[in-house]
Amino acid sequence: MAAPEPAGTAEPPCRAGTAPYQRELERELRLPVDGRQSAADCVAIRRLQQRLRIQPADGRASLRTYRLVVADRVRRDPGARRGCPVKSYRVTCVDLTRQILWVQKGRRLVFDPVPIRTGRDGLETRRGWQRIYWKNRDHFSTIYNVPMPYAQFFNGGQALHGTRHDLFSSGSGGCVNLAVGDAKRLYALLKKGDRLYIWGTKPGTGG
């Protein structure tokens, strides 16, 4: 006869309501796609958040959760990386549509996909092939009066750099923003002259 479960091991109720990325996460989890949060949806999303260490793990179908799930899918599925050219050298892939960045050499990932924040409407991040021409670990923007840690410039004033602002709201002035920890790791990986490929359209922008 099985021993009874210790007290306190049952999952607490999941009470998050319907959120903006409900349908997308229902598709990701192969749940019935109706755009309405059910108790089963809430529990499934919460378990996904727990697996990916997304905080808060509350079962809410937020933009943050959706972007981190997309990053995980791109990491696991080579087919999800088709937009970025495969080259013999290192390419930093910036997908404006999905707001994800990764680095690959050939078909091998050398920097796992992470969420980013790119230029807002009217100040879009420039697309196409780019090249890192200057790096500055402790750069400060005199235009926007903000720190730009681990800055790697690729086109005029546009750069890859860290930010402590929310990556999942609004947009940058054209730069590719990363969480500071991700920007630090990317800074250590890339060298002056490394290539970037930027494509797609950020949702809510004109180009």
Side-chain angles (χ1 to χ4, degrees):
M1 181 175 177
E5 280 193 345
T9 59
E11 282 192 287
C14 193
R15 296 193 172 93
T18 300
Y21 286 81
Q22 194 72 43
R23 288 182 181 275
E24 289 83 351
L25 285 169
E26 287 169 347
R27 290 190 193 97
E28 190 70 31
L29 291 166
R30 299 181 181 177
L31 298 166
V33 180
D34 59 9
R36 296 191 302 273
Q37 179 88 307
S38 67
D41 291 348
C42 190
V43 169
I45 293 168
R46 181 170 66 185
R47 287 177 178 166
L48 176 65
Q49 291 168 329
Q50 290 167 340
R51 179 174 68 80
L52 297 179
R53 299 180 181 177
I54 297 170
Q55 294 295 331
D58 56 5
R60 186 171 184 272
S62 63
L63 174 57
R64 174 184 173 80
T65 295
Y66 175 62
R67 289 264 169 81
L68 288 166
V69 167
V70 170
D72 181 64
R73 174 156 38 86
V74 174
R75 178 185 64 81
R76 291 183 290 104
D77 179 11
R81 304 176 213 143
R82 287 195 194 99
C84 194
V86 174
K87 300 292 184 180
S88 59
Y89 49 84
R90 202 161 46 204
V91 178
T92 298
C93 307
V94 181
D95 182 340
L96 300 177
T97 304
R98 294 183 292 180
Q99 294 287 284
I100 298 292
L101 174 150
W102 69 91
V103 184
Q104 62 189 33
K105 185 174 183 180
R107 298 185 185 280
R108 180 173 63 90
L109 281 176
V110 294
F111 187 91
D112 282 350
V114 295
I116 55 174
R117 183 179 74 163
T118 62
R120 59 187 177 271
D121 194 28
L123 292 169
E124 290 87 352
T125 303
R126 299 179 191 108
R127 290 177 288 201
W129 282 105
Q130 311 287 347
R131 188 186 297 272
I132 292 173
Y133 67 88
W134 186 54
K135 291 164 62 87
N136 187 337
R137 186 186 304 269
D138 300 306
H139 190 70
F140 189 89
S141 170
T142 54
I143 297 174
Y144 295 103
N145 196 35
V146 294
M148 294 171 57
Y150 305 105
Q152 305 188 78
F153 286 84
F154 59 82
N155 188 313
Q158 295 191 350
L160 308 165
H161 70 84
T163 183
R164 298 197 184 279
H165 291 291
D166 182 8
L167 290 177
F168 306 100
S169 65
S170 184
S172 73
C175 289
V176 177
N177 294 164
L178 301 92
V180 173
D182 292 335
K184 181 178 180 179
R185 292 188 299 111
L186 190 63
Y187 190 93
L189 174 67
L190 302 183
K191 308 297 181 188
K192 184 177 175 181
D194 270 13
R195 301 298 302 272
L196 293 76
Y197 185 73
I198 302 171
W199 77 99
T201 301
K202 179 178 179 176
T205 68

